[in-house]
Amino acid sequence: MNMFETHPVGRCLLGCLLIALATVVVAETPENDAEKKPAVETNAAKSTPKEPAGMQLTIDIQQQQKDGSFDNRESHLVLFHQGVAYAFALSEPHDVTIVDAVNSRIALLSRKQQTKAVLPQQDVINALARIKQYAAENDLEGKLGLDAVVEGNAPYRIQFEQVSYQATTQKPGSALQAAQFLQYSQWIGRVTLIRKLWPPLFARMALDEAIANDGQVPKEVTLTLGKGDQATTLRSVFRFESNLDQADLDRIEKAKGMLRLYQDVPVTALP
């Protein structure tokens, strides 16, 4: 159980979400998939970059301390190459996530267990649609941030319940980079939503889409959970580089090797 699930704001929603996610089966039979093809909920899934490009993104996730300073909690390196995003956790357990728009799949790699779960993107969309349907039928849109609206642009803001996001932005190296980042962030948000109870990332996904629609990429995104003395504040800092060097390409080849060699397991078997 992560820090979000033990936070008071997270615990108040767990009862509802346990029921919702208990009904979600990530991998359905082809017959079931054919019966329900939900509309894709954002423009991101439609905005596949048309040309390959290399880009490096480093994300540092920091937590605010009582004195107002921020301490680094974890870092991630994301390498974009030929329509595929390779996300490497730079701290334990050093897991790897591959968002493969070329083959319409997401691969979750556990380096500690040397196992992998490969999810067709359509299965992820179907699972997310069932969560949204459950929320609509049980009046949970507000609690999950499904009806939250992005406000402003300097900074951008969005909030629901006791969860709020604030984002500053930067100009990308190209429009293609902005599209690549949005596609990556939306798929990561979807997979996180169907794997974890908290936090629900619908509002964060809406925030990223609003930023991309303005031709920008995030610079800093601050997440605040709760209010007053009980609030927890996390800050994500984004650094983009337009090119990949040989070390980056070597890291990508290593990830491809893991994808070939690791044992297939259900997504529920991953840590």
Side-chain angles (χ1 to χ4, degrees):
M1 184 170 288
N2 60 36
M3 67 164 288
F4 298 108
E5 291 165 15
T6 58
H7 192 277
V9 179
R11 288 201 305 269
C12 74
L13 295 180
L14 286 184
C16 298
L17 296 179
L18 275 170
I19 298 172
L21 295 188
T23 67
V24 171
V25 179
V26 173
E28 291 190 315
T29 63
E31 292 80 8
N32 287 340
D33 280 342
E35 290 173 0
K36 41 186 173 182
K37 293 286 187 180
V40 177
E41 68 280 3
T42 69
N43 294 328
K46 302 177 183 177
S47 58
T48 303
K50 296 181 179 180
E51 300 177 2
M55 179 174 70
Q56 180 189 117
L57 166 64
T58 304
I59 307 171
D60 293 322
I61 301 176
Q62 306 165 345
Q63 182 169 358
Q64 188 173 34
Q65 306 303 304
K66 292 183 178 179
D67 62 2
S69 64
F70 284 84
D71 287 349
N72 206 63
R73 290 178 52 87
E74 56 187 87
S75 297
H76 300 266
L77 174 67
V78 188
L79 305 177
F80 298 80
H81 184 61
Q82 297 181 338
V84 183
Y86 303 84
F88 302 87
L90 299 181
S91 54
E92 290 293 341
H94 295 289
D95 290 338
V96 180
T97 301
I98 301 175
V99 178
D100 185 350
V102 176
N103 296 294
S104 300
R105 65 185 183 180
I106 297 97
L108 309 174
L109 310 179
S110 171
R111 298 184 69 176
K112 183 176 181 179
Q113 296 182 348
Q114 295 194 0
T115 56
K116 67 184 178 186
V118 180
L119 309 176
Q121 289 182 345
Q122 187 61 50
D123 287 352
V124 175
I125 290 173
N126 291 344
L128 193 62
R130 289 193 294 278
I131 294 176
K132 296 174 74 171
Q133 181 181 359
Y134 178 90
E137 292 173 350
N138 292 273
D139 196 25
L140 292 173
E141 289 99 334
K143 291 183 178 298
L144 298 182
L146 276 162
D147 55 3
V149 177
V150 177
E151 299 178 350
N153 58 16
Y156 294 79
R157 297 184 181 87
I158 190 169
Q159 62 181 12
F160 66 100
E161 294 289 301
Q162 294 187 46
V163 179
S164 64
Y165 291 93
Q166 179 171 295
T168 59
T169 62
Q170 54 193 320
K171 186 176 180 179
S174 69
L176 180 60
Q177 286 186 356
Q180 285 181 312
F181 171 75
L182 178 59
Q183 184 182 74
Y184 161 76
S185 68
Q186 297 292 77
W187 282 115
I188 290 295
R190 293 179 183 121
V191 172
T192 301
L193 272 162
I194 67 174
R195 290 196 67 209
K196 298 182 179 180
L197 299 176
W198 179 259
L201 295 180
F202 293 110
R204 174 58 191 272
M205 292 164 64
L207 179 69
D208 283 341
E209 187 172 20
I211 291 170
N213 286 344
D214 288 342
Q216 300 289 303
V217 291
K219 182 177 182 180
E220 292 187 2
V221 177
T222 302
L223 164 63
T224 303
L225 299 165
K227 295 182 179 180
D229 294 339
Q230 301 301 315
T232 297
T233 299
L234 299 175
R235 181 175 68 186
S236 297
V237 181
F238 298 80
R239 299 191 303 276
F240 292 83
E241 298 288 342
S242 296
N243 298 304
L244 302 179
D245 59 23
Q246 188 58 49
D248 296 325
L249 297 177
D250 291 344
R251 191 186 286 266
I252 287 172
E253 289 303 313
K254 187 174 182 179
K256 291 179 179 178
M258 296 176 197
L259 185 59
R260 288 191 300 268
L261 298 174
Y262 282 6
Q263 178 184 358
D264 285 291
V265 297
V267 66
T268 51
L270 293 177

